[in-house]
Amino acid sequence: MREALPFPARINVELTNHCNQRCRLCPRLGFTRPLGFMDVALFERIAVECGRHPTALWLHFLGESLLHRDAVRMVRIAKDAGVVRVGLSTNGVSLAVHADALIDAGLDRLECSMDALDREGYRAMRGRDHFERVVRNVETFLARKRERGSETPLTSIQFMRTLELEARLAEVAARWQPVLGPRDFVMTIEPAPFGGSIAARVAAGPDGEAGRPACAWLFESLVILQDGTVTMCGADWDASAPLGNAGEQDIASIWSSPELQRRRRAHLAARFAEVGPCAACQDWRLADGRGYRNLAEELGAAAAR
């Protein structure tokens, strides 16, 4: 029988749920929860506890992390607290002005959302006309890494795996591979339905619907929203079934709480309807990480066949 890890292996921390884009594959326009920015003291509390465990912090959930005026400072706080791996996702609109500061802060991993190869496709995907600016900012960031001889943060250029993109995978690789560092890569991501809130095709799960397994997220990870609310996964993006608040409780106590243990038991017994948003959720198909693919490796494997 599957058992939960002693402490989450990964925690997504939502620095803010404000955003400067309107992406068609993001549910945030449907928020009923308030918009805001995480308090630095709350973040430090989270980082200090996570620094005592082999836990990765990913500074992003729904919102643009670099809109938080203390985002770079928070990266440094996490690294100073001993967090083993700190990652951050950005839409790149303001990336260039933070390039040196993010490198200096010790950021381990940076994900730059691009999602399109041209201006028209970008507007259709992200709802804003930022294409040229984002391309320039990402190239500037990669150039600064080269000039400084830094391989960190390990950087990926992200493309959502839409039907439109499928026919252009080789073109994506040809456009971005030449400007990447030796450890950087282009990543494609299967769009998540966010518990049915987004009309997205979903990659096949490990055993098909009839053999639906317990969702890995319940046993390995948590999400902490900008106000400290803790949720069990990204499918509960509007916090309809919260587990507690990281400003009032230790993460460890939330992780081992009777309620989260009840949800895990329900999943193990395939009683998904007993766990709030899980009944009709399809996001479990992506919980093992299969939706994230290194494009160069994928194309290389295809060419070798």
Side-chain angles (χ1 to χ4, degrees):
M1 180 176 290
R2 182 166 198 161
E3 294 185 359
L5 297 173
F7 193 83
R10 170 177 165 134
I11 298 178
N12 279 65
V13 180
E14 183 183 73
L15 300 189
T16 181
N17 53 351
H18 284 280
C19 192
N20 47 14
Q21 297 194 325
R22 298 293 182 269
C23 301
R24 67 179 172 93
L25 292 176
C26 177
R28 64 173 301 281
L29 292 180
F31 278 154
T32 62
R33 60 185 176 96
L35 300 180
F37 295 88
M38 180 171 281
D39 184 78
V40 174
L42 170 59
F43 180 81
E44 187 165 15
R45 173 188 171 109
I46 293 166
V48 167
E49 184 174 3
C50 290
R52 299 195 290 264
H53 303 273
T55 299
L57 287 186
W58 193 261
L59 309 188
H60 172 77
F61 182 49
L62 294 180
E64 169 49 33
S65 301
L66 292 181
L67 287 178
H68 198 302
R69 64 182 182 182
D70 291 306
V72 173
R73 178 185 169 197
M74 292 157 109
V75 172
R76 190 181 296 278
I77 286 171
K79 294 308 297 182
D80 287 347
V83 176
V84 294
R85 191 162 180 259
V86 180
L88 184 147
S89 290
T90 177
N91 60 34
V93 173
S94 60
L95 177 60
V97 298
H98 297 291
D100 285 298
L102 286 171
I103 296 170
D104 291 339
L107 185 67
D108 298 293
R109 176 85 165 75
L110 180 70
E111 183 179 279
C112 303
S113 298
M114 183 60 63
D115 292 337
L117 274 166
D118 52 48
R119 185 179 180 185
E120 181 181 353
Y122 189 93
R123 280 197 303 243
M125 279 291 292
R126 306 194 69 82
R128 289 289 186 267
D129 192 12
H130 293 149
F131 180 71
E132 284 86 0
R133 177 177 178 176
V134 171
V135 169
R136 183 171 60 251
N137 285 350
V138 172
E139 289 182 332
T140 296
F141 182 82
L142 293 169
R144 285 301 295 150
K145 279 178 56 180
R146 287 195 302 271
E147 290 163 5
R148 295 182 52 162
S150 177
E151 291 192 2
T152 57
L154 174 64
T155 305
S156 63
I157 315 300
Q158 171 193 298
F159 288 81
M160 284 289 182
R161 194 91 177 204
T162 61
L163 292 174
E164 297 91 338
L165 183 73
E166 292 289 348
R168 305 185 70 181
L169 292 178
E171 189 178 348
V172 169
R175 166 63 183 86
W176 284 101
Q177 205 64 43
V179 298
L180 297 176
R183 299 175 58 225
D184 301 333
F185 63 101
V186 175
M187 178 171 67
T188 66
I189 301 181
E190 293 285 349
F194 287 97
S197 302
I198 299 294
R201 64 191 182 92
V202 185
D207 300 303
E209 187 64 38
R212 177 179 172 181
C215 184
W217 283 325
L218 283 173
F219 298 81
E220 299 175 1
S221 62
L222 285 174
V223 177
I224 304 179
L225 306 180
Q226 57 84 17
D227 62 355
T229 299
V230 179
T231 66
M232 61 185 176
C233 66
D236 192 17
W237 55 272
D238 203 30
S240 64
L243 292 165
N245 192 289
E248 302 166 359
Q249 304 155 268
D250 291 341
I251 297 169
S253 66
I254 295 172
W255 185 245
S256 61
S257 66
E259 174 57 18
L260 189 46
Q261 291 184 49
R262 182 194 70 80
R263 297 184 194 188
R264 291 177 185 133
R265 288 195 300 270
H267 266 243
L268 289 169
R271 298 194 305 269
F272 304 107
E274 296 180 10
V275 187
C278 299
C281 181
Q282 295 293 307
D283 295 54
W284 63 271
R285 297 175 180 272
L286 304 175
D288 63 355
R290 70 178 55 228
Y292 294 80
R293 283 179 272 181
N294 182 314
L295 182 57
E297 292 179 355
E298 179 182 357
L299 293 177
R305 288 199 293 268

